[in-house]
Amino acid sequence: DENGLDEMDNRILETIIEKFNGGPVGITTIATAVGEEAGTLEEVYEPFLIQEGYLKRTPRGREATVKSYQHLGKKMPGSTGGLF
């Protein structure tokens, strides 16, 4: 797409947001949900998503960032849309 993400990148982000409420979620769980090997996700897709700011790796698992929600047109949990 216009941001350099391919179909699998978008699928990974959408899975984390839709199925796991934005994370944190483990890499093996993500791999199972998208039908890809965990090693492939870690070596091929994850570095780009982290580098571009769509995904962050925490001690508890992977989490979608604000940029991911914006890219996919999703509303972040707990956001009211206003300043307060």
Side-chain angles (χ1 to χ4, degrees):
D1 62 16
E2 65 279 353
N3 296 315
L5 277 67
D6 66 14
E7 182 182 338
M8 182 57 84
D9 293 324
N10 286 312
R11 209 158 104 202
I12 292 165
L13 297 176
E14 193 160 327
T15 297
I16 294 170
I17 291 170
E18 293 290 321
K19 294 185 178 181
F20 304 106
N21 299 317
V25 60
I27 193 72
T28 54
T29 304
I30 298 167
T32 301
V34 298
E36 186 62 78
E37 295 289 327
T40 303
L41 293 183
E42 280 186 309
E43 295 171 21
V44 177
Y45 298 103
E46 191 176 67
F48 176 76
L49 292 172
I50 291 171
Q51 184 179 14
E52 294 297 312
Y54 292 99
L55 189 67
K56 64 181 177 178
R57 188 188 293 181
T58 71
R60 294 178 52 213
R62 278 62 174 180
E63 294 182 5
T65 64
V66 173
K67 190 173 182 178
S68 294
Y69 283 88
Q70 291 170 342
H71 174 71
L72 295 173
K74 307 281 184 183
K75 185 177 176 186
M76 285 197 70
S79 66
T80 59
L83 290 176
F84 300 102

